[in-house]
Amino acid sequence: MVDLLELTVGLPEVVLPPGEVLLEDGTRTGSVWVLLEGTVEVSKAGVLISTIDRPGVAFGEVALLMGSDHTATVSAVTECRFRVARDGQTFLLERPEVLLVVAGDLAARLDLVTTYLADLRNQYRGTPGLEMVSSVLGRLHAASPDTAVTGSVRDPEPEY
């Protein structure tokens, strides 16, 4: 299968030093970035979500496809080299094979989250405070992106 490294040959390349912020949660760039080398951290609301060092991973695609601000902050941990489509929307519309790969990657990530939540629900069924996992699983497929609300209402000191 063709990957983003092959499909983005010819795009401009950008090098970011360690500590540089590529994308900031709550901002818009309209760009799609593809990691060529280096390590980045992805954080949300100041919480580290993941560390990524796999060439070919896209960044900025979620906000672009949702027509929203970036949903996380991506920062270079080491010196990083990226390919960038500054006008990500035009790039995706003119290159449907890129759009298909991006959609496939997003579908794989959604499947991973859904599988994880289902496993969590099965392991901790009946545990106080974790009943919300079933609710989250149901809302993943039922809610439109316009109805999604970030944050949660929960007891800050649950009795487990």
Side-chain angles (χ1 to χ4, degrees):
M1 181 173 175
V2 179
D3 65 15
L4 288 179
L5 292 175
E6 295 174 61
L7 294 172
T8 57
V9 169
L11 285 178
E13 293 187 11
V14 175
V15 176
L16 295 182
E20 185 86 13
V21 173
L22 175 69
L23 302 171
E24 188 170 356
D25 189 8
T27 66
R28 284 188 193 216
T29 64
S31 300
V32 174
W33 300 76
V34 177
L35 182 65
L36 297 176
E37 60 185 34
T39 301
V40 300
E41 287 183 341
V42 179
S43 61
K44 176 82 175 167
V47 176
L48 179 64
I49 302 300
S50 63
T51 302
I52 299 170
D53 63 0
R54 184 173 54 88
V57 173
F59 300 94
E61 80 288 10
V62 172
L64 185 65
L65 293 171
M66 289 180 20
S68 69
D69 293 343
H70 293 296
T71 59
T73 297
V74 180
S75 305
V77 175
T78 64
E79 183 174 276
C80 294
R81 191 165 53 96
F82 298 89
R83 289 192 184 123
V84 60
R86 297 274 182 203
D87 182 351
Q89 183 172 6
T90 298
F91 179 67
L92 293 178
L93 290 172
E94 290 178 351
R95 305 280 309 272
E97 65 277 15
V98 173
L99 188 55
L100 188 59
V101 171
V102 167
D105 288 347
L106 290 171
R109 287 166 40 194
L110 177 60
D111 182 58
L112 178 68
V113 169
T114 304
T115 300
Y116 174 76
L117 287 172
D119 185 51
L120 189 65
R121 181 189 65 195
N122 290 334
Q123 287 185 44
Y124 296 99
R125 185 171 312 207
T127 302
L130 288 178
E131 302 89 32
M132 57 78 169
V133 173
S134 290
S135 173
V136 170
L137 279 168
R139 291 184 358 214
L140 276 173
H141 293 288
S144 73
D146 297 335
T147 62
V149 177
T150 59
S152 61
V153 177
R154 59 181 161 72
D155 184 350
E157 307 262 343
E159 296 178 25
Y160 291 110

